[in-house]
Amino acid sequence: MSNELITKGKQAKSVSRKLSLLSSQQKNDGLTAVAEALVERENEILEANKKDLKNAKEKGITGALYDRLTLTHDRIVGIAEGLRTLINLEDPIGEVLWMKKRPNGLNLGQKRVPLGVIGIIYEARPNVTVDAFGLCFKTGNAVILRGGSEAIYANTKIVEVIQHALESVELPSNAVQLLEDTSRETATKMMQLNEYIDVLIPRGGAGLIQAVVNNSTIPVIETGVGNCHVYIDSDADINMAINVAYNAKTQRPGVCNSCESILIHKEVLDQVVPPLINKLKEKDVEIRGDEAIKKYSDTIIDASEEDWGTEYLDYIVSMKSVDSLEEAINHIDQYGTKHSEAIITNNYEKSNRFLEEVDAAAVYVNASTRFTDGFEFGFGAEIGISTQKLHARGPMGLKELTTTKYIVYGNGQIK
Amino acid sequence: MSNELITKGKQAKSVSRKLSLLSSQQKNDGLTAVAEALVERENEILEANKKDLKNAKEKGITGALYDRLTLTHDRIVGIAEGLRTLINLEDPIGEVLWMKKRPNGLNLGQKRVPLGVIGIIYEARPNVTVDAFGLCFKTGNAVILRGGSEAIYANTKIVEVIQHALESVELPSNAVQLLEDTSRETATKMMQLNEYIDVLIPRGGAGLIQAVVNNSTIPVIETGVGNCHVYIDSDADINMAINVAYNAKTQRPGVCNSCESILIHKEVLDQVVPPLINKLKEKDVEIRGDEAIKKYSDTIIDASEEDWGTEYLDYIVSMKSVDSLEEAINHIDQYGTKHSEAIITNNYEKSNRFLEEVDAAAVYVNASTRFTDGFEFGFGAEIGISTQKLHARGPMGLKELTTTKYIVYGNGQIK
């Protein structure tokens, strides 16, 4: 196994014990120092980023990927601001969730503690480097980052800035470490570094997440893939239905909580489909529909079986007529990714059935799926959106980066 | 992939939706019917068990393993009683943990729901078959069981009895299914059945658990291995220290929360070691010590490096002198399995440091590690003891077999 991995793994494990004992004040001082340093040393970071951008151009990287890789003055200020917002959030570490006296006199409590060492594997977004550090540091965790090779210059510089800033306020710089070796082989080995890493969080596209799930022997928090539906029921308020479906699809199509598929009860097709098509055309949304939907416009493309299961992350939507709530729920069960699902209805019974029977991280009645987000949910921060069921489900804030331990006060109890 | 796995996986997934909607009354009726049927059909179960026992003898299985495989009238009555205790426990499903109104008028709540389909891989203990069914059924989960080949006759019969009893009260019999194919290959394939199984829980020895952790692509709840320490501080009440160490080691040495290693501050060696050795000799406990310990008796064997990391699960204990609390904590950090750790001290500062700095599922002051147990902790049930940090840590009761989903009530909110 690579020396770098083992060295950094050991250092992370060793420093995690120190981090777990830091006071909230110390952690906030660290965040402040880092936020200030990022802005002060902006030019160095932008210089490093230029090298990444030059390499990216040579590799033919363009469009959204190039944009995500790009740092600017405004973006660095925004990243530093993001760190500062963490300062005002309550530190979850040390909270005793409950304590009770057992019949034998033992005082038994459950206390919130850091996870220990968190590994984060992500793609070409240098802002994640700061973000992930901030969330892990605030929660007393050490973090090992493995970013994409495309961002290696910016990431290396940013981590150097963070480490230096932590040292300047006498905090352990190894709280954050970046893997310099960005090979796929080393990433795979990192996924099996159970001795030093407690939890692995992949942040990126479906391919990256799948690779981590398949290869990791470390517990993983799976994030992100969202094939989200809006189901427009026969008892829907038609205007509301059109507004919500339009918003869920077009307000920001590139994110996981955007709508990819609209299901419409057959009884309201005439009322819903024509105005909805018109509205979606305002933003040039490509519509792929079944036979019933296609009747409403020549511009609608045939939806294939594959379409129902596709997360477009683009100005494309699939649209399907359904005979009943039952069919809508079954369709979601078959093709959904258990992320965010919405029903539009004024029917009490059907709204309850949808909330009960749809198996997803977030289930909505009469609202856009776009609200599934740590900030919208009031957590003040977000490390990602879990689409699995263990540990955390839905938007993950600071609490989701913690675990608990039982603390037991006795006076000689034996069994 | 084996047809059996896919068929049973599909059936489990399909039935899990129905199970999630059952009322507590329906689930309790099912548990009652199964408890009664197990006792009524005791003879059939004992007959099946006899075949397993005959095979076991032929294979040369003896001792504790043979004992665990053996069913008797009393054991079946006990197993049925265990199911009945679940009836009185509060059903965790449907509880809304919190609900709040967001600034935009959305009512956002977090609701407890079943995990879905749970896979349990275990060894030759037919009682686990009933136990696992009961806990999963009470929490609205479907379960796929893969028991050891040694218990296949008893397990097959028990599952038949459970399924028949569920049908008799019009509940879905596929709530529990047993894999008839007990090959290692099929077990490995089961660990990768992500499409149908939401969570995998191994119950058994270290080898089984390691195999599941290494091979599973499904999220795993790791259970059980416990290399637990009792640290006797220089400020300990000497009598209490001896009683607790003796109890933690000898009250039931074969379980994961028993003590495997006793650490003693050098300043109290003279007071602690001679009486502790005498007491341990009452139960013929073999002591493996370092140089400082060995001075107290010729019967003490040299402890090797390997001893510090060994979970004996037997009447054997390792014993070590330490110079400080710091050294004790470092030793536990290096050799412990993050299960249960205890300090015996009357020193305020040192008790707090131990509670804060020792990273384990349960940390004790002045009490035996033997209390780490779902029943002792007041959960009324236990599916195992998690030694990992995600989802559940420490004894797992009914709540640990659930997840949550966010439910969101809107009136047309868009972003």
Side-chain angles (χ1 to χ4, degrees), chain A residues 94-326:
Chain A
E95 183 190 3
V96 175
L97 304 179
W98 53 265
M99 179 164 266
K100 63 187 175 187
K101 195 159 187 153
R102 299 291 307 147
N104 61 2
L106 282 179
N107 280 298
L108 168 70
Q110 192 178 20
K111 187 177 177 178
R112 211 182 270 291
V113 297
L115 285 165
V117 179
I118 298 177
I120 297 192
I121 300 185
Y122 56 112
E123 291 168 340
R125 303 183 68 154
N127 61 311
V128 172
T129 309
V130 180
D131 229 43
F133 153 74
L135 290 159
C136 293
F137 190 74
K138 176 82 186 191
T139 47
N141 293 292
V143 63
I144 299 180
L145 301 170
R146 192 279 190 186
S149 58
E150 298 84 359
I152 187 68
Y153 286 106
N155 284 341
T156 304
K157 175 54 74 179
I158 289 170
V159 169
E160 184 207 311
V161 170
I162 298 174
Q163 290 182 329
H164 193 262
L166 290 175
E167 272 168 17
S168 75
V169 288
E170 284 165 18
L171 288 166
S173 59
N174 283 336
V176 57
Q177 295 180 98
L178 177 76
L179 286 190
E180 284 159 29
D181 177 352
T182 58
S183 69
R184 198 167 280 208
E185 295 68 43
T186 298
T188 304
K189 282 174 189 156
M190 177 180 171
M191 298 174 203
Q192 285 149 13
L193 209 63
N194 295 54
E195 198 179 342
Y196 304 119
I197 301 180
D198 293 290
V199 180
L200 213 55
I201 305 178
R203 284 187 62 173
L208 170 72
I209 291 164
Q210 204 48 52
V212 173
V213 168
N214 287 343
N215 292 309
S216 179
T217 52
I218 300 170
V220 172
I221 304 183
E222 209 176 318
T223 60
V225 178
N227 180 21
C228 307
H229 300 75
V230 173
Y231 164 58
I232 300 174
D233 183 52
S234 51
D235 290 322
D237 173 319
I238 301 297
N239 275 333
M240 183 195 290
I242 292 165
N243 282 334
V244 168
Y246 174 76
N247 176 267
K249 177 67 251 177
T250 65
Q251 197 256 340
R252 199 174 164 198
V255 292
C256 58
N257 59 19
S258 66
C259 170
E260 305 292 4
S261 196
I262 302 170
L263 308 176
I264 306 167
H265 194 286
K266 63 179 178 183
E267 285 172 19
V268 291
L269 286 177
D270 285 349
Q271 296 160 266
V272 170
V273 180
L276 180 56
I277 291 176
N278 283 339
K279 219 164 150 62
L280 290 170
K281 275 188 185 154
E282 289 172 16
K283 295 224 177 172
D284 288 327
V285 176
E286 179 183 315
I287 301 171
R288 304 187 186 176
D290 66 359
E291 286 306 317
I293 302 290
K294 280 176 65 190
K295 284 180 190 145
Y296 291 91
S297 165
D298 295 343
T299 63
I300 297 175
I301 297 166
D302 241 335
S304 68
E305 173 69 18
E306 206 193 325
D307 278 302
W308 308 127
T310 298
E311 186 190 23
Y312 301 114
L313 296 172
D314 203 347
Y315 288 96
I316 308 172
V317 73
S318 65
M319 212 180 274
K320 190 181 190 313
S321 160
V322 295
D323 290 354
S324 62
L325 170 67
E326 185 81 17

Side-chain angles (χ1 to χ4, degrees), chain A residues 17 102 111 115 247 330 355-356 358 361 363 365-366 376 389 391 393 403-406 408 410 412 415, chain B residues 17 102 111 115 247 330 355 358 361 363 365-366 376 389 391 393 403-406 408 410 412 415:
Chain A
R17 212 167 113 191
R102 299 291 307 147
K111 187 177 177 178
L115 285 165
N247 176 267
N330 287 339
L355 285 173
E356 284 262 318
V358 171
V363 189
V365 179
N366 294 345
E376 289 293 341
K389 294 180 176 179
H391 187 69
R393 196 177 193 198
T403 182
T404 59
K405 71 176 171 192
Y406 288 103
V408 193
K415 193 166 167 179
Chain B
R17 212 167 113 191
R102 298 291 307 147
K111 188 177 176 177
L115 284 165
N247 176 266
N330 287 340
L355 286 172
V358 171
V363 190
V365 179
N366 294 345
E376 290 293 341
K389 294 181 177 179
H391 187 70
R393 195 177 193 200
T403 182
T404 59
K405 71 176 170 193
Y406 288 103
V408 192
K415 193 164 167 180

Side-chain angles (χ1 to χ4, degrees), chain B residues 212-224:
Chain B
V212 173
V213 169
N214 286 343
N215 292 307
S216 179
T217 50
I218 300 169
V220 172
I221 303 183
E222 210 175 317
T223 61

Side-chain angles (χ1 to χ4, degrees), chain A residues 349-367:
Chain A
E349 192 60 30
K350 289 197 269 186
S351 68
N352 282 338
R353 274 198 62 195
F354 194 87
L355 285 173
E356 284 262 318
E357 295 189 30
V358 171
D359 183 23
V363 189
Y364 293 83
V365 179
N366 294 345

Side-chain angles (χ1 to χ4, degrees), chain B residues 269 273 289-296 321:
Chain B
L269 287 176
V273 180
D290 66 359
E291 287 306 317
I293 302 289
K294 278 175 66 189
K295 284 181 191 145
Y296 291 93
S321 160

